[in-house]
Amino acid sequence: MIKPTWDKYFMKMAEVVRLRADCLRRQVGAVLVKDFRIIATGYNGTPYGIKNCSDGGCQRCLLRHQGKLESGEKEESCICLHAEQNAIIQAAYLGVSTKGATLYSTTNPCSTCAKMLINAGVVRIVCRMEHHDKEGINLLKKAKIKAELT
């Protein structure tokens, strides 16, 4: 049996976390790792206690899914959190520092998530390039954070 590399192992974990996402448009999973240990996970969806997207919790997502909104239109009205945001929030909620952590994500971070990851002290990102917002990768590079695309 051949063991996967750490990067492949944690990316597989992000793929499993992604299965919990309830977004009507895209499912994303994220895993924050420090010292080869998972410190937090996150997937995209509505905030705790709010109906899921598939149950009508986010009107913007519903309208987008129905083809009544174009990509990028009325993004500010979306109530959902991104997987990276949820991972950072979970770590904070549990009182776990993200300083020096690596984030594994099934999608590259958008510019908003990139700013949060920078300020959360995350030092490395391993992700797939799927998100339309490529500025996130540029911000990470400007902040001298290693962004590796798989």
Side-chain angles (χ1 to χ4, degrees), residues 121 124 142:
R124 182 174 173 244
K142 286 178 186 176

Side-chain angles (χ1 to χ4, degrees), residues 118-130:
I118 292 166
N119 280 0
V122 175
V123 296
R124 182 174 173 244
I125 314 289
V126 180
C127 61
R128 295 196 184 113
M129 181 68 83
E130 293 179 13

Side-chain angles (χ1 to χ4, degrees), residues 130-149:
E130 293 179 13
H131 199 280
H132 65 275
D133 183 354
K134 309 292 189 260
E135 186 55 32
I137 295 294
N138 293 333
L139 283 170
L140 294 169
K141 288 178 182 177
K142 286 178 186 176
K144 298 189 180 11
I145 293 175
K146 296 177 187 175
E148 301 168 29
L149 304 174

Side-chain angles (χ1 to χ4, degrees), residues 10-149:
F10 289 122
M11 187 57 82
K12 285 283 188 194
M13 295 292 215
E15 291 170 6
V16 171
V17 171
R18 174 172 113 166
L19 297 174
R20 292 289 308 154
D22 191 65
C23 181
L24 297 169
R25 302 290 301 161
R26 174 184 294 136
Q27 291 73 44
V28 180
V31 176
L32 275 169
V33 175
K34 196 170 179 181
D35 298 325
F36 301 103
R37 291 174 178 83
I38 295 171
I39 60 171
T41 64
Y43 52 87
N44 57 321
T46 56
Y48 180 77
I50 305 295
K51 283 196 292 186
N52 288 322
C53 285
S54 62
D55 297 325
C58 181
Q59 287 301 302
R60 193 238 177 221
C61 287
L62 182 61
L63 293 172
R64 178 83 175 94
H65 182 67
Q66 294 171 343
K68 295 178 182 176
L69 289 177
E70 295 296 320
S71 179
E73 190 177 1
K74 295 189 178 183
E75 282 187 337
E76 70 283 352
S77 66
C78 181
I79 65 166
C80 297
L81 292 157
H82 289 187
E84 302 93 332
Q85 294 168 333
N86 270 327
I88 292 167
I89 291 166
Q90 183 187 45
Y93 184 83
L94 296 172
V96 179
S97 174
T98 56
K99 185 178 180 181
T102 296
L103 178 93
Y104 293 86
S105 180
T106 58
T107 301
N108 64 290
C110 69
S111 54
T112 299
C113 287
K115 291 183 279 187
M116 291 180 179
L117 292 163
I118 292 166
N119 280 0
V122 175
V123 296
R124 182 174 173 244
I125 314 289
V126 180
C127 61
R128 295 196 184 113
M129 181 68 83
E130 293 179 13
H131 199 280
H132 65 275
D133 183 354
K134 309 292 189 260
E135 186 55 32
I137 295 294
N138 293 333
L139 283 170
L140 294 169
K141 288 178 182 177
K142 286 178 186 176
K144 298 189 180 11
I145 293 175
K146 296 177 187 175
E148 301 168 29
L149 304 174

